């Protein structure tokens, strides 16, 4: 992988890439601009063509190579910057480990199907409709419910499980995706989320990777109010911030981020125009 990164770097000019985002002015052997990562009147952002690096000598003090610039300005992860720059450089990336890739794909597909299943339930199932009514009473608009892909998991013990098995998945895979629980000492599984409003948890690109479930009948006090997916292959709780996929551009633009606690608070503040993300899973 390192050799591919070096190959990309050798074919790409950092001045050209950065010049696509900020207006650079010649300053001796280097180029200079107003730093795109903090507000300033006097340009202190420097790009060196000979060393192929950039650095802000102003208050943010950021710096790095063409990869870090693209990650920061686009708000993307390294792998995505790699793909973009590889294409620009005409470098064909060696494939990821196909086994790992297909595993990831499998759990992404399971999570996506489950999200769609829960969404449909919210529209069509009898109690699902009640749950939707509750969400609307709490102030959520139809388009917000759609945007955040809220859903309903019925009271059934195996509705989702049967749906996914019918799609060709094994119960053990559904368990690994965090959506089913295995009965102790038995070869049987049941749905993790039952009788709950479902909040899909997305990665930065909007792919559902985990779920949060909330009971909505306040008298159902024998159960925990919230239930979340466990740590899984896709869902690394230490790295995921609920709502960040909706807010990432706005956070970069404003250099500010408001953390709120809980799904409903986040969705409400998003709906009200404050694109924030809650403290979650930290
Ligand atoms: Zn700066």
């Amino acid at each position: 992988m390192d050799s591919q990164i070096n190959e990309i770097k050798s074919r790409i000019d950092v001045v050209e890439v950065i010049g696509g985002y900020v207006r650079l002015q010649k300053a001796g052997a280097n180029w200079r601009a107003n730093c795109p990562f903090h507000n300033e009147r006097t340009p202190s952002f420097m790009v060196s063509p000979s060393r192929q690096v950039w650095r802000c000598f102003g208050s943010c003090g950021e710096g790095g190579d063409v990869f870090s610039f693209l990650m920061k300005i686009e708000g993307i992860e390294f792998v995505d910057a790699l793909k973009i720059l590889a294409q620009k450089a005409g470098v064909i990336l060696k494939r990821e480990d196909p086994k790992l890739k297909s595993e990831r794909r499998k759990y992404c597909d399971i999570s996506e199907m489950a999200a769609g299943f829960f969404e449909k339930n919210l529209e069509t199932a009898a109690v699902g409709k009640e749950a939707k009514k509750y969400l609307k009473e709490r102030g959520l608009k139809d388009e917000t419910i759609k945007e955040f892909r809220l859903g309903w998991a019925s009271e059934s013990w195996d509705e989702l499980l049967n749906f996914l098995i019918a799609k060709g998945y094994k119960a053990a895979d559904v368990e690994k995706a965090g959506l089913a629980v295995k009965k102790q000492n038995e070869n049987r599984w049941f749905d993790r989320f039952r009788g709950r409003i479902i909040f899909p948890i997305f990665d930065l690109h909007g792919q559902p990777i985990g779920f949060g479930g909330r009971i909505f009948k306040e008298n159902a006090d024998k159960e925990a109010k919230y239930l979340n997916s466990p740590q899984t292959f896709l869902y690394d709780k230490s790295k995921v911030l609920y709502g960040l996929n909706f807010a990432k551009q706005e956070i970069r633009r404003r250099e500010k981020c408001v953390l709120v606690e809980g799904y409903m608070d986040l969705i409400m503040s998003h709906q009200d125009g404050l694109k924030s993300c809650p403290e979650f899973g930290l």
Side-chain angles (χ1 to χ4, degrees), residues 215-258:
I215 47 169
F216 84 99
K217 289 176 179 165
E218 299 297 343
N219 57 358
D221 55 3
K222 52 181 183 252
E223 284 182 274
K225 193 169 172 190
Y226 284 99
L227 179 72
N228 290 310
S229 290
Q231 184 92 0
T232 66
F233 183 86
L234 289 183
Y235 180 35
D236 182 347
K237 294 191 176 195
S238 67
K239 291 188 179 150
V240 177
L241 208 53
Y242 180 67
L244 194 55
N245 58 308
F246 297 106
K248 60 180 180 181
Q249 304 293 357
E250 204 65 11
I251 290 171
R252 207 189 66 220
R253 198 175 67 75
R254 295 202 223 171
E255 298 182 322
K256 276 198 191 101
C257 171
V258 178

Side-chain angles (χ1 to χ4, degrees), residues 95-107:
R95 285 228 196 97
E96 296 168 59
D97 180 346
K99 189 172 169 282
L100 210 63
K101 199 178 172 187
S102 65
E103 283 280 285
R104 188 183 157 77
R105 190 67 258 156
K106 178 167 71 185
Y107 296 121

Side-chain angles (χ1 to χ4, degrees), residues 37-189:
F37 304 121
H38 82 273
N39 274 322
E40 63 178 6
R41 290 210 190 94
T42 321
S44 54
F45 179 87
M46 302 294 288
V47 185
S48 160
S50 59
R51 296 176 53 221
Q52 288 292 304
V53 294
W54 58 278
R55 178 157 298 281
C56 167
F57 292 93
S59 64
C60 76
E62 296 279 346
D65 60 11
V66 66
F67 287 95
S68 59
F69 179 82
L70 201 64
M71 285 161 69
K72 214 169 147 53
I73 197 98
E74 288 286 352
I76 55 178
E77 292 167 36
F78 179 77
V79 283
D80 299 305
L82 184 65
K83 279 180 199 153
I84 293 168
L85 291 175
Q87 197 178 20
K88 208 172 161 64
V91 171
I92 295 162
L93 292 173
K94 288 185 205 119
R95 285 228 196 97
E96 296 168 59
D97 180 346
K99 189 172 169 282
L100 210 63
K101 199 178 172 187
S102 65
E103 283 280 285
R104 188 183 157 77
R105 190 67 258 156
K106 178 167 71 185
Y107 296 121
C108 283
D109 288 347
I110 290 175
S111 300
E112 175 56 43
M113 277 186 208
F117 182 82
F118 292 138
E119 271 184 294
K120 194 165 166 245
N121 267 346
L122 191 73
E123 299 298 326
T124 57
V127 194
K129 286 185 198 165
E130 258 182 67
K132 188 175 179 186
K133 193 166 152 250
Y134 164 82
L135 287 170
K136 294 186 82 167
E137 279 164 11
R138 288 281 306 263
L140 294 192
K141 295 177 185 153
D142 274 317
E143 58 262 35
T144 308
I145 291 171
K146 227 176 200 160
E147 188 181 3
F148 283 83
R149 303 190 62 186
L150 304 189
W152 170 249
S154 84
E155 312 272 353
S156 155
W157 285 89
D158 53 11
E159 198 179 69
L160 177 69
L161 201 53
N162 288 337
F163 169 77
L164 289 169
I165 287 170
K167 295 278 177 194
Y169 295 100
K170 297 191 187 98
D173 290 334
V174 182
E175 180 192 355
K176 279 190 200 159
L179 288 159
V181 179
K182 191 172 186 289
K183 281 196 128 186
Q184 246 183 345
N185 306 321
E186 278 184 62
N187 219 22
R188 291 203 296 153
W189 285 262

